[in-house]
Amino acid sequence: MSILILAEHDNSTLAVATAKAVAAAQKIGGDIDVLVAGSGCGQVAEAAAKLDGVAKVLVSDADAYAHQLAEPVSELLVHLAGGYSHIVAAATTSGKNVMPRVAALLDVMQVSDITAVLSDKRFERPVYAGAAIQTVEATADKVVVTVRASAFDAVGDGGSAPLEAVDFAPSAPKVKFVSRDTPVSAGPELANARIVVSGGRALGSAEKFNEIIKPLADKLGAAMGASRAAVDAGYAPNDWQVGQTGKVVAPDLYIAVGISGAIQHLAGMKNSKVIVAIDKDPEAPIFGVADYGLVGDLFELVPELTDAL
Ligand code: FAD
């Protein structure tokens, strides 16, 4: 068996999600190669070469991959797929964009968002917003898999795999990169943060997020998150949303402030190691998954907690 993992990066930094995809690949078994497709991405290739368990890093450094558009990257993966039994990527926005194209071009079914590896062809994945776990078995010879990164611990970086250049020119592009509008965040990245402080509808405004949630998050060196109700109301930006239709996180500590704990929110955070809930309603479902619960008015309790810290 041989596995090819698509590296996730921004041409300068390798995302932690790739180290987690390597951990999933180790459970599948076999040789693990990583593909770094980008432009001026040498630093990323070096970082990928250090990941434990990686046999070889394939590097496609060309203008065509500068923005890692799904079309050229999927063509490249299909070009390389002949030598591999498994093609793997993290189930991130980018992985979810590229891999279905790879599966379609290879005419196989994709196994999406796996949370456990049972054998080289059998996997577990959550369905119904995490309310049930499905066991699926791939029947094709070539298996295309996306990995829920929060379900796997990243491998270490003590390796020294060789780099190998791949020279492949994708066909003339049908799409063109126009611009990227990336929100600037001062704190750690939500998906990989060790601590997350999330606010819900109860905050009532963006100003209150700033006044109540931010100081606590700053004190803890935490990333900020939000429920969908808070995002829809414009209290928090879209990319802070945690849940079924937002980000799935599993930090060491998740603090939910004024979030009732709807199933769609729980789908994005219930695997956090320690969950703290602050809500004025003792019957709020969030307390059903919380390790520690604080019942009361968040506008009093959170500033008190922040001061005490
Ligand atoms: P509410 O449910 O209104 O809860 C507010 C909480 O604040 C209550 O528990 C209340 O007791 C408490 N509160 C009020 N005032 C105070 C106070 N002063 N002090 C302390 N506590 C107070 N939701 C997500 O979060 N993420 C998703 O990805 C997501 N995806 C969805 C997908 C679909 C298809 C659907 C249908 C829904 C989805 N939702 C998602 C929405 C979800 O169902 C809930 O509506 C949402 O999570 C509720 O957000 P909330 O907990 O902030 O608000």
Side-chain angles (χ1 to χ4, degrees):
M1 254 172 336
S2 49
I3 303 167
L4 181 61
I5 298 179
L6 176 64
E8 171 126 4
H9 64 93
D10 60 3
N11 287 321
S12 57
T13 310
L14 180 68
V16 182
T18 305
K20 296 184 173 190
V22 173
Q26 283 182 327
K27 294 199 156 71
I28 294 171
D31 289 340
I32 301 170
D33 293 350
V34 172
L35 169 66
V36 176
S39 174
C41 55
Q43 215 174 305
V44 177
E46 296 291 341
K50 290 197 180 113
L51 294 179
D52 290 339
V54 171
K56 183 168 66 182
V57 176
L58 305 180
V59 190
S60 282
D61 197 329
D63 286 350
Y65 308 114
H67 305 290
Q68 295 156 58
L69 297 178
E71 288 78 3
V73 173
S74 50
E75 233 186 289
L76 172 62
L77 276 167
V78 170
H79 168 73
L80 296 168
Y84 295 94
S85 56
H86 294 68
I87 317 290
V88 175
T92 54
T93 307
S94 155
K96 286 178 190 171
N97 193 12
V98 173
M99 297 303 267
R101 292 164 202 269
V102 173
L105 290 166
L106 293 172
D107 200 18
V108 298
M109 296 253 250
Q110 174 176 299
V111 184
S112 304
D113 211 16
I114 63 157
T115 49
V117 176
L118 305 181
S119 76
D120 60 321
K121 295 230 165 150
R122 291 190 113 204
F123 307 94
E124 283 183 359
R125 57 184 297 263
V127 288
Y128 304 126
I133 302 296
Q134 188 177 54
T135 300
V136 284
E137 184 163 319
T139 48
D141 289 340
K142 223 169 264 307
V143 185
V144 175
V145 177
T146 62
V147 174
R148 180 173 289 201
S150 61
F152 296 89
D153 291 329
V155 296
D157 57 359
S160 58
L163 308 185
E164 187 179 302
V166 177
D167 190 15
F168 170 77
S171 47
K174 296 195 180 82
V175 292
K176 174 172 95 174
F177 176 82
V178 178
S179 67
R180 185 189 305 271
D181 186 4
T182 314
V184 183
S185 156
E189 198 204 338
L190 177 58
N192 300 315
R194 226 171 42 77
I195 305 177
V196 174
V197 183
S198 277
R201 193 198 314 264
L203 269 300
S205 69
E207 291 71 35
K208 290 290 176 199
F209 254 82
N210 225 11
E211 227 174 84
I212 304 284
I213 302 294
K214 189 167 182 303
L216 178 58
D218 285 350
K219 201 129 238 183
L220 293 168
M224 287 198 277
S227 71
R228 176 161 158 183
V231 169
D232 286 352
Y235 307 159
N238 259 306
D239 62 331
W240 288 13
Q241 186 177 316
V242 172
Q244 182 188 343
T245 42
K247 295 208 166 78
V248 178
V249 298
D252 292 341
L253 172 63
Y254 187 90
I255 304 182
V257 180
I259 294 179
S260 61
I263 183 172
Q264 296 90 352
H265 188 81
L266 301 186
M269 45 64 73
K270 70 177 179 198
N271 291 328
S272 305
K273 296 199 177 64
V274 175
I275 298 174
V276 174
I278 302 173
D279 200 288
K280 70 176 184 188
D281 176 7
E283 302 297 322
I286 192 76
F287 290 122
V289 297
D291 299 284
Y292 299 91
L294 211 47
V295 178
D297 185 353
L298 72 89
F299 296 104
E300 287 171 20
L301 294 178
V302 177
E304 250 181 63
L305 178 60
T306 307
D307 283 349
L309 284 166

